[in-house]
Amino acid sequence: MRYCMDVIANIKNRLNAANTFAIIAIVFGILFVFTTPLLWGADETTHFGRVYQITQGHIRSVYIGDVWGTGYGGYIPANLFSFIKAVDADLLHPNTTILDTRRVGTPNIYNQFGDQKFSKQKVIYSFPNTATYSPVAYAPSVVGVFITEKLNLNIASMIYAGRLCDLAFYILCVYFALKILRFTRTKWIIFTVALLPMALFQASIITADTTTNAVAILFAALIIKSLIYKKPLSKLESILLLLLAIVLPLVKPIYVFFDFLILFIPKQLLRISRGTILKILALVVGLIGFVVWSYITRNVTDAVRLMRGDFWQSISPPAQIKYAEHHIITAGVIVVRTVFLQDNTYLSQLIGWLGFDYVPAPAMAIISSLGAMGLAFLIIDKAKLSKKHAYAILAVILACFVTLFATLYITFTRVKYPEVEGVQGRYFIPLLPLLLVVPGVYISNKIISGTSVKYRFICQLIVCLVLFSLTVSALKFIYVTWY
């Protein structure tokens, strides 16, 4: 602990925000990679099934008939399917220890199956909840699994390789985002959001959320630099912004509205010729990709009903849409009621509900993470953000928020149920950077003067709080899961 404090005390001399982030993310990310039981990340069994399908060259999931109901999925090795069923059994029949959370009940099955190589026999596996994701969302983990499969390594090596590639991609994107904002104190907002226990844990398992969060944070950094601080983007940054605008709707469709922000960036801030035309082209291509993939996966809409049995048979997207059309005000009230009743749950999930055993981050971690974000918010630099651009950014955030609730209300919620089901706090992570920066640039330095001495101290305090939050969260997760 004394050594850690010495390192933190010398941050101003040896480390900047980007380097500090990389060190912390590597240490705790690798810790999560190897201490999370195989396939125990949230929905990691079905995410891994989709990743395997993509490594075999199958871009989209297929209709597979009467498997756990009529569903979508594909073929996977028989022993991988047996492993998934064993993990499901371990999760569904918990060895209750603390606060109704689960721990690993039969550790030997993870070694038994993890040491095996993929069998040649294939069986059908239904994963409709991940069948809607495009291959773009799994690009990092696909690389890891594909390489290890070609090297004929065992299943455990493939899972760890997929996780490590996810983690590497996340760290690279956030590191670059912090470099982009090195001229401004806003970088500490990115720092604290990217190192939330939930964000870093998701980056350390096989899931589409890794790519979503990484791309959204990097995109937000480019928007902050160009649209909020009116700083010109380099040629590389300009090209990257346009590429992200194409990719983001394919990674997570509910964030498609982010793309419209590039239209507000003045052409003189893009260091590329024909910047206006290319902005429009990137937006159009992104929207086309969104529409095409939505059309391809249009029939994969009843994932929960198919996976969870008779209780969920009342989920019917067509019936829910019809009900909402005739009860628009009631549907709006349901969304507001859900937010009002579940806000504390969303906050807890945002900071950390780790693993598929959903181990909640300790209260100390929640307080520490909120404290770090609060301090980062208070030291944001002033910016000449016009009201038009501020309203545009807030409108995009609101549109994403409404789309998230509307999507889950239609596809995940029982017809006429008085709350929206399926909303998780981690879904708000991509919205946080812009949501915090927009009001922050208007009130910055009004509470904390931000002199150089105070600024260095606050930065050190932010790092301390982040380290503490990650440490106690990791310790609790490991203890509850394994002991």
Side-chain angles (χ1 to χ4, degrees):
M1 180 59 71
R2 178 63 180 272
Y3 173 75
C4 292
M5 294 301 295
D6 290 339
V7 170
I8 294 168
N10 289 291
I11 284 176
K12 61 180 182 298
N13 296 323
R14 296 189 295 169
L15 296 175
N16 56 29
N19 293 339
T20 305
F21 162 79
I23 293 172
I24 295 174
I26 289 171
V27 171
F28 283 94
I30 291 177
L31 179 66
F32 283 134
V33 165
F34 291 105
T35 58
T36 303
L38 298 176
L39 301 179
W40 264 46
D43 289 325
E44 196 173 21
T45 51
T46 52
H47 283 297
F48 189 70
R50 177 71 175 124
V51 166
Y52 174 80
Q53 182 182 55
I54 297 170
T55 63
Q56 305 308 299
H58 302 294
I59 301 302
R60 63 181 181 134
S61 300
V62 295
Y63 175 76
I64 59 176
D66 192 15
V67 179
W68 303 345
T70 302
Y72 286 79
Y75 285 91
I76 63 173
N79 59 342
L80 174 59
F81 180 77
S82 297
F83 187 17
I84 290 172
K85 298 304 293 181
V87 170
D88 287 341
D90 211 18
L91 284 165
L92 294 174
H93 300 86
N95 295 270
T96 302
T97 53
I98 303 170
L99 299 176
D100 295 325
T101 57
R102 302 173 176 89
R103 66 178 174 87
V104 174
T106 51
N108 61 304
I109 67 170
Y110 298 91
N111 295 326
Q112 174 188 339
F113 284 104
D115 290 338
Q116 297 178 15
K117 297 178 180 179
F118 280 155
S119 61
K120 294 184 179 180
Q121 181 186 359
K122 303 290 180 67
V123 298
I124 290 177
Y125 177 44
S126 177
F127 43 86
N129 62 320
T130 60
T132 57
Y133 286 105
S134 77
V136 177
Y138 295 107
S141 49
V142 164
V143 171
V145 174
F146 180 81
I147 292 174
T148 47
E149 185 185 10
K150 292 303 179 185
L151 294 175
N152 198 30
L153 300 183
N154 59 30
I155 294 176
S157 298
M158 294 182 189
I159 295 173
Y160 288 136
R163 288 177 175 180
L164 288 171
C165 284
D166 269 357
L167 178 63
F169 178 77
Y170 181 79
I171 292 174
L172 182 64
C173 287
V174 177
Y175 181 84
F176 193 41
L178 291 169
K179 284 292 187 180
I180 289 170
L181 296 176
R182 60 187 177 276
F183 68 93
T184 172
R185 298 176 181 181
T186 305
K187 60 181 174 285
W188 292 104
I189 290 290
I190 300 294
F191 180 91
T192 54
V193 171
L195 287 176
L196 287 172
M198 189 76 256
L200 189 56
F201 181 87
Q202 288 297 102
S204 307
I205 63 173
I206 295 176
T207 173
D209 286 350
T210 299
T211 309
T212 299
N213 293 342
V215 170
I217 288 173
L218 182 52
F219 186 85
L222 292 166
I223 292 296
I224 290 169
K225 179 178 180 179
S226 58
L227 194 58
I228 295 180
Y229 284 95
K230 305 296 189 298
K231 299 289 185 179
L233 302 179
S234 68
K235 186 174 182 179
L236 176 61
E237 292 170 350
S238 300
I239 295 173
L240 183 59
L241 176 67
L242 300 180
L243 290 176
L244 292 176
I246 295 173
V247 168
L248 192 55
L250 289 173
V251 172
K252 196 82 167 183
I254 64 172
Y255 303 119
V256 65
F257 298 102
F258 273 50
D259 277 13
F260 290 94
L261 292 177
I262 66 175
L263 297 179
F264 294 92
I265 299 175
K267 63 180 181 179
Q268 63 268 25
L269 297 182
L270 297 176
R271 296 289 179 84
I272 50 177
S273 59
R274 296 185 176 88
T276 301
I277 295 176
L278 290 177
K279 284 193 305 181
I280 297 173
L281 181 61
L283 175 62
V284 171
V285 173
L287 292 177
I288 290 175
F290 163 74
V291 171
V292 169
W293 189 254
S294 297
Y295 178 79
I296 291 174
T297 58
R298 65 192 182 280
N299 294 321
V300 192
T301 57
D302 48 1
V304 179
R305 179 177 64 83
L306 301 179
M307 296 182 68
R308 299 194 179 182
D310 295 338
F311 177 74
W312 295 91
Q313 292 300 314
S314 60
I315 294 177
S316 172
Q320 191 77 299
I321 292 173
K322 185 176 180 180
Y323 174 78
E325 287 177 346
H326 292 85
H327 303 83
I328 296 177
I329 296 178
T330 300
V333 170
I334 288 173
V335 171
V336 174
R337 178 193 295 125
T338 302
V339 174
F340 181 73
L341 294 177
Q342 299 295 332
D343 59 343
N344 56 334
T345 302
Y346 296 155
L347 176 62
S348 177
Q349 292 172 340
L350 177 70
I351 304 302
W353 273 24
L354 310 181
F356 217 179
D357 44 347
Y358 298 123
V359 178
M364 295 180 294
I366 295 176
I367 295 171
S368 297
S369 291
L370 291 177
M373 282 193 291
L375 289 173
F377 177 82
L378 293 175
I379 61 173
I380 292 176
D381 313 81
K382 290 183 179 180
K384 296 179 180 179
L385 177 62
S386 67
K387 290 184 178 180
K388 179 181 71 173
H389 291 164
Y391 292 151
I393 294 172
L394 294 177
V396 163
I397 294 173
L398 179 61
C400 293
F401 181 87
V402 172
T403 302
L404 169 63
F405 277 84
T407 300
L408 292 173
Y409 179 67
I410 292 170
T411 63
F412 210 96
T413 304
R414 288 164 282 175
V415 178
K416 299 181 181 180
Y417 194 71
E419 288 184 28
V420 180
E421 299 175 286
V423 179
Q424 305 249 353
R426 68 175 186 266
Y427 298 156
F428 303 120
I429 291 174
L431 304 177
L432 275 182
L434 291 175
L435 183 62
L436 292 173
V437 170
V438 170
V441 296
Y442 287 112
I443 67 172
S444 60
N445 295 326
K446 292 185 178 179
I447 301 177
I448 295 179
S449 62
T451 63
S452 59
V453 174
K454 289 184 178 179
Y455 175 65
R456 288 196 297 271
F457 172 75
I458 291 170
C459 292
Q460 294 169 14
L461 184 56
I462 288 173
V463 174
C464 288
L465 289 171
V466 166
L467 280 170
F468 181 77
S469 178
L470 285 169
T471 299
V472 295
S473 297
L475 289 175
K476 181 178 180 181
F477 174 71
I478 295 169
Y479 176 75
V480 172
T481 302
W482 287 104
Y483 299 102

